[in-house]
Amino acid sequence: MGRRLSGQGHGMTGAGWSILGTLSRLRGPWRGRQFGDPGRPRAISPRLTAAEAEALRVRLTPVLARLTAERAAIFRRAETELRLKTGVAALAGLGLGWTMGGLPGALGLAALAAVFAVLLLAGRVQEAPRSIAKHVILNKMGQMLYGLSSVAPGARAQALPLGRIDGWRLFGPVHTVTIDDRLEGLRDGQRVAVSRVGLQFGTAGNRSTENGAGLCFVLTEITAPEAPDDLSGALTVVVAEDAPAQARAAPGLTHGLSVSQTGDAAFDARYRVYGDAEVLGPAARAAFAGIEALARADRTATREVAPGSGLRPWVVIRPGRLVVLTPLALFDGALEPPLLPQPLLAEALIPAFASDLASLNDHLTVALTLMKGLSR
């Protein structure tokens, strides 16, 4: 596909060299990509009608113009600050290097200090404008296309607290939760949410030993109006047999849940069910095929494979509640706004974000089918 999400590298501030502008062109037009191998993003398949595309263009064009102006102001301030701090770092490196090894060492250390400062500060500068722009675009388009509202970045941790994740009784200790996107709304009279979530495992005392041991998911949550607030009742946890060994065993070893059989040999060969298996009647078991069709993470959860051939989903079922976690190969955001200083252009962003939203809506649709098939 290779389509850029912005103009052809032109900055917001006109001609002239800039640190952020150079880095944004080197790093590419988005922080991540639609999940896939670096440099090979998924093809855009927005599934928009002409009327939908035009309505989105009319609604988003002034919003994107406002965001672009705000980003231009942020860029100017950030570029000035970045040049100042880079210069200070270079001078500090020059002074330290001179005391250690004369002019050659001083120049080398100054250069290293400047590069380190740029790499350290530039990412921080980019993150807030990227996150805000993505939230605004997802919110406007999500509401128009699917009746879903984007949760603001600062409110996502409260919307999905660590205590709720622990209550799924799926994993061992989780020490860090990263929520890159979260959309919420009503569907079929039920509260629904779909998120991209990254989890890092381990306790506060052994985080360093768990580096790289995280997992990433598209997380879908459905809550019926009659769902009780008390979560101490019946529980069913479904873990795919192709999940990592530690993850397969955690509901039993960590949380004391017992394995039960559905009586469906083909299903029981693919999934390990903990707790009450009676809720997984024929309709519910059949609904897993729709979720499996969206699975794209390979067994290492580091690379994408063809849809339907990836790691199978994990599911948590309580009375009136359903949680579906579909593993992701990478957690780097899906289609993204371009980095500073590039402008936000409706003709590029609308198809890209429509494609991304359609993918999230697919996950929500198949989860709703499973919810309807549950026996309790």
Side-chain angles (χ1 to χ4, degrees):
M1 171 275 275
R3 185 173 185 174
R4 294 179 66 88
L5 297 190
S6 68
Q8 300 301 311
H10 299 296
M12 297 174 180
T13 56
W17 178 84
S18 70
I19 298 173
L20 285 176
T22 300
L23 288 177
S24 72
R25 287 190 290 271
L26 291 174
R27 293 178 63 193
W30 51 70
R31 178 179 68 110
R33 56 238 138 226
Q34 271 198 308
F35 296 100
D37 293 336
R40 294 192 296 165
R42 288 185 197 170
I44 291 176
S45 54
R47 292 176 267 177
L48 290 175
T49 66
E52 287 172 333
E54 177 60 18
L56 288 167
R57 186 193 66 77
V58 169
R59 183 167 181 177
L60 275 179
T61 295
V63 174
L64 296 179
R66 173 179 60 81
L67 285 172
T68 294
E70 292 173 356
R71 283 158 55 94
I74 293 170
F75 167 75
R76 289 190 292 270
R77 293 194 300 269
E79 181 70 20
T80 299
E81 183 179 1
L82 189 58
R83 292 187 185 198
L84 175 62
K85 291 184 176 180
T86 301
V88 170
L91 286 175
L94 186 66
L96 180 61
W98 183 265
T99 63
M100 295 173 61
L103 183 60
L107 293 175
L109 196 56
L112 287 175
V115 169
F116 178 77
V118 167
L119 295 178
L120 179 66
L121 298 172
R124 295 177 183 176
V125 167
Q126 292 283 7
E127 179 57 27
R130 180 206 74 88
S131 184
I132 292 169
K134 189 176 185 185
H135 162 62
V136 171
I137 296 167
L138 283 175
N139 195 49
K140 296 290 185 184
M141 294 184 64
Q143 289 177 0
M144 287 188 67
L145 294 174
Y146 301 111
L148 299 173
S149 298
S150 174
V151 176
R156 291 171 190 161
Q158 183 177 357
L160 185 61
L162 178 58
R164 187 187 307 171
I165 295 172
D166 289 337
W168 296 339
R169 300 169 75 178
L170 264 178
F171 310 110
V174 176
H175 69 65
T176 302
V177 181
T178 304
I179 308 170
D180 204 47
D181 303 301
R182 183 171 176 85
L183 296 161
E184 297 180 343
L186 292 174
R187 190 72 60 87
D188 298 341
Q190 303 172 99
R191 286 187 287 119
V192 300
V194 59
S195 313
R196 288 191 182 90
V197 177
L199 305 178
Q200 279 285 338
F201 304 108
T203 64
N206 72 343
R207 291 188 185 193
S208 61
T209 63
E210 297 295 326
N211 235 1
L215 289 173
C216 311
F217 303 93
V218 171
L219 167 67
T220 309
E221 301 165 87
I222 303 173
T223 306
E226 69 277 8
D229 293 331
D230 182 9
L231 300 181
S232 62
L235 171 69
T236 304
V237 173
V238 185
V239 182
E241 287 288 358
D242 61 359
Q246 184 177 3
R248 286 199 310 273
L253 292 179
T254 303
H255 301 287
L257 299 179
S258 300
V259 175
S260 57
Q261 302 290 317
T262 66
D264 180 335
F267 186 88
D268 291 337
R270 303 198 319 275
Y271 293 97
R272 186 175 301 183
V273 180
Y274 292 89
D276 180 13
E278 292 186 3
V279 297
L280 294 168
R285 297 195 301 272
F288 274 74
I291 308 172
E292 291 173 5
L294 301 176
R296 301 184 67 143
D298 74 344
R299 291 185 64 85
T300 66
T302 58
R303 185 178 62 88
E304 278 207 340
V305 292
S309 59
L311 287 170
R312 299 186 186 97
W314 303 349
V315 173
V316 180
I317 304 165
R318 294 183 183 275
R321 300 175 188 271
L322 174 68
V323 176
V324 178
L325 302 96
T326 305
L328 292 172
L330 298 168
F331 186 59
D332 214 3
L335 287 168
E336 298 279 352
L339 298 173
L340 296 175
Q342 301 173 61
L344 305 174
L345 303 177
E347 60 267 26
L349 287 167
I350 287 174
F353 275 80
S355 179
D356 193 25
L357 282 163
S359 174
L360 293 176
N361 187 64
D362 287 343
H363 283 272
L364 178 57
T365 300
V366 295
L368 284 164
T369 300
L370 173 56
M371 184 73 164
K372 292 175 183 176
L374 295 174
S375 299
R376 79 159 74 102

